[in-house]
């Protein structure tokens, strides 16, 4: 049970999700401070009152704080727009390119890897070759086995 939990926690997706949540919470705090510091006072000024009742209307002893509600809507819209344009849109574009096959091809193997692969293949063919034929190394080096003169 503990091993399964450890495997779950060590997956990259869980760590990425945790980092995303922390950054999202910090970003929400920044946006909330911006809207409380700048947007809400503008809403209160547009409401025409500057005192204790700014951004509110009252019916009897009941107060309706419309400035706080509008502020929350603006906070949500700013947060949603930033997440969409900086996270969702680029990831969707990447997924679409992968679907269409426009992803750049993988890097070609180095010359050493190609040469080692050819040597391996030649050695495998050399083991399967009938006796009397040249060695796999001769095949790789381009040497052709000739019968000795009689």
């Amino acid at each position: 049970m503990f091993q399964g939990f450890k495997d779950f926690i060590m997956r990259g997706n869980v760590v990425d999700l945790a980092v995303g949540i922390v950054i999202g919470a910090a970003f929400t705090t920044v946006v909330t401070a911006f809207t409380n510091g700048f947007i809400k006072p503008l809403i209160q000024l547009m409401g025409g009152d500057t005192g204790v009742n700014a951004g509110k209307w009252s019916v009897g002893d009941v107060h309706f704080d419309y400035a706080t509600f509008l502020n929350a809507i603006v906070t949500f819209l700013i947060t949603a727009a930033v997440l969409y344009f900086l996270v969702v849109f680029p990831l969707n574009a990447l997924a679409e390119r992968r679907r269409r096959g426009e992803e750049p091809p993988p890097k070609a193997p180095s010359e050493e890897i190609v040469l080692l692969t050819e040597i391996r293949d030649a050695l495998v063919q050399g083991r399967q070759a009938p006796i009397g034929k040249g060695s796999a190394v001769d095949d790789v080096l381009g040497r052709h086995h000739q019968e000795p003169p009689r």
Side-chain angles (χ1 to χ4, degrees):
M1 183 167 80
F2 289 115
Q3 181 62 35
F5 180 72
K6 179 182 172 191
D7 292 343
F8 173 74
I9 292 298
M10 296 307 289
R11 270 192 222 156
N13 294 345
V14 173
V15 174
D16 292 343
L17 180 63
V19 169
I21 289 171
V22 169
I23 289 175
F27 179 72
T28 301
T29 303
V30 169
V31 172
T32 302
F34 170 75
T35 56
N36 283 337
F38 295 101
I39 304 297
K40 188 173 180 178
L42 289 175
I43 294 170
Q44 291 172 337
L45 283 175
M46 291 185 331
D49 199 355
T50 57
V52 177
N53 291 326
K56 299 177 185 175
W57 79 80
S58 299
V59 177
D61 290 336
V62 179
H63 301 288
F64 296 92
D65 190 1
Y66 66 88
T68 301
F69 176 70
L70 291 176
N71 191 38
I73 290 173
V74 170
T75 301
F76 171 77
L77 291 175
I78 291 173
T79 304
V82 169
L83 287 176
Y84 177 77
F85 289 112
L86 295 183
V87 177
V88 174
F89 185 74
L91 288 178
N92 285 344
L94 179 64
E96 182 61 29
R97 277 196 319 196
R98 284 186 179 174
R99 242 188 317 258
R100 288 190 313 238
E102 293 179 8
E103 187 173 329
K107 184 180 171 186
S110 67
E111 291 181 32
E112 292 86 9
I113 299 296
V114 172
L115 181 61
L116 288 171
T117 304
E118 290 174 357
I119 291 171
R120 181 203 62 206
D121 294 343
L123 287 172
V124 168
Q125 288 176 355
R127 288 185 192 147
Q128 297 171 353
I131 298 178
K133 296 246 177 176
S135 71
V137 174
D138 290 336
D139 290 342
V140 169
L141 295 176
R143 291 188 253 162
H144 299 291
H145 181 68
Q146 296 179 357
E147 292 289 326
R150 292 185 189 193

